[in-house]
Amino acid sequence: IQAHVSRLTDQDGHGFGAVGVLQDITEIKKLDQLRRDFVANVSHELRTPMTSVQGYIEAMLDSAIPIGERDKYLEVIYRETLRLNKLIYDLLDLSMIESGKEKWELNEIEIPELVGQVLLKLQPLMEKRRVTVDSRFTGRLPPVPGDEDRIEQVIFNLLDNAIKFSPAGGVVTLRAEEADDKITVSVTDRGPGIPLTDMEHIWERFHRVEKSRSRALGGTGLGLAIVKQIVEAHGGTVNVHSVAGEGSTFSFTLATNLAETGFFSNMP
Ligand code: ADP
């Protein structure tokens, strides 16, 4: 609590009272702390790949490395620039959505078709990790009103995580079903799961269960935060269920009825 007190005086300067204003600044302080943490996180995330790019280029300029090694160095530099690029795109995405500047498109989304498109894009990762995705669509699913590119990004991020965190040779199950004019899409893996203590923070920007492991997998720590923002902008909800050591199920639910999505109320 912050207090501001002013003394009241008459024309001759004699005091006859005081006015006090009490302001609860806990919220302001909390927001300020969040902002500072965010800037620190972004700086750190940008610095790590930048330092490595710089180091490899310096080594190449020093000619301290045999010519045959150069390709390996270039490979690392290239990977790190891809990472920087993804980080910057993810940050821009988040800030556009959060500031309400995002221009949403309204499409009639056929979930099974969209899942098919995402799986095509993830084919190389699935092959690399020898993970298969088993898609199960229950009944005839009605189209969902929403921004198709953005919902594709949601499904992509959830499947990408599930494949990355699955044990090699594992199976990821994607289910889509309708109930009460809502469609729920869930993605289940048999990966390490999420400890209870991380559960409530899992949708926050840059929250990672095991920092080094998820960085090694090429993550930016922003994927789930983006998922939550997109789904909530569509008036939907996100959910996670996980047992540490057994696996996780991430899901989202969207209304099939445009009036219930609140979609237009989120548009500027
Ligand atoms: P990242 O780019 O690091 O994957 P996300 O926001 O997508 O960022 O995920 C945040 C963190 O949540 C991950 O670093 C990981 O620790 C945890 N996580 C996400 N998906 C899964 C999953 N399917 N299984 C286990 N942990 C997960």
Side-chain angles (χ1 to χ4, degrees), residues 157-158 161-162 164-165 189 191-194 202 204 207-210 214 218-225 248 250:
N157 285 359
L158 295 183
N161 279 344
K164 278 185 192 157
F165 287 98
D189 65 63
I194 294 148
I202 203 74
E204 289 168 12
H207 186 85
R208 293 184 176 112
V209 177
E210 268 182 82
S214 76
T220 60
L222 294 172
L224 288 178
S248 321
F250 284 85

Side-chain angles (χ1 to χ4, degrees), residues 5 11 16 18 57 73 89 122 133 143 218 221 267-268:
V5 181
Q11 281 164 333
F16 66 90
I57 292 180
Y73 279 48
Y89 268 93
L122 284 168
V133 176
M267 293 185 178

Side-chain angles (χ1 to χ4, degrees), residues 83 86 90 157-166 187-195 198 201-211 213-215 217-227 240 242 247-250:
R83 214 170 126 68
K86 171 142 183 22
D90 280 358
N157 285 359
L158 295 183
L159 276 174
D160 184 57
N161 279 344
I163 296 167
K164 278 185 192 157
F165 287 98
S166 281
V187 177
T188 304
D189 65 63
R190 299 259 158 259
I194 294 148
D198 290 283
H201 302 292
I202 203 74
W203 305 98
E204 289 168 12
R205 300 181 264 199
F206 298 120
H207 186 85
R208 293 184 176 112
V209 177
E210 268 182 82
K211 279 204 185 307
R213 179 193 170 117
S214 76
R215 279 223 191 84
L217 292 170
T220 60
L222 294 172
L224 288 178
I226 292 177
V227 164
V240 56
S242 179
S248 321
T249 297
F250 284 85

Side-chain angles (χ1 to χ4, degrees), residues 56-65 70:
Y56 278 92
I57 292 180
E58 276 167 11
M60 289 177 78
L61 288 174
D62 277 353
S63 316
I65 46 155
R70 289 196 155 221

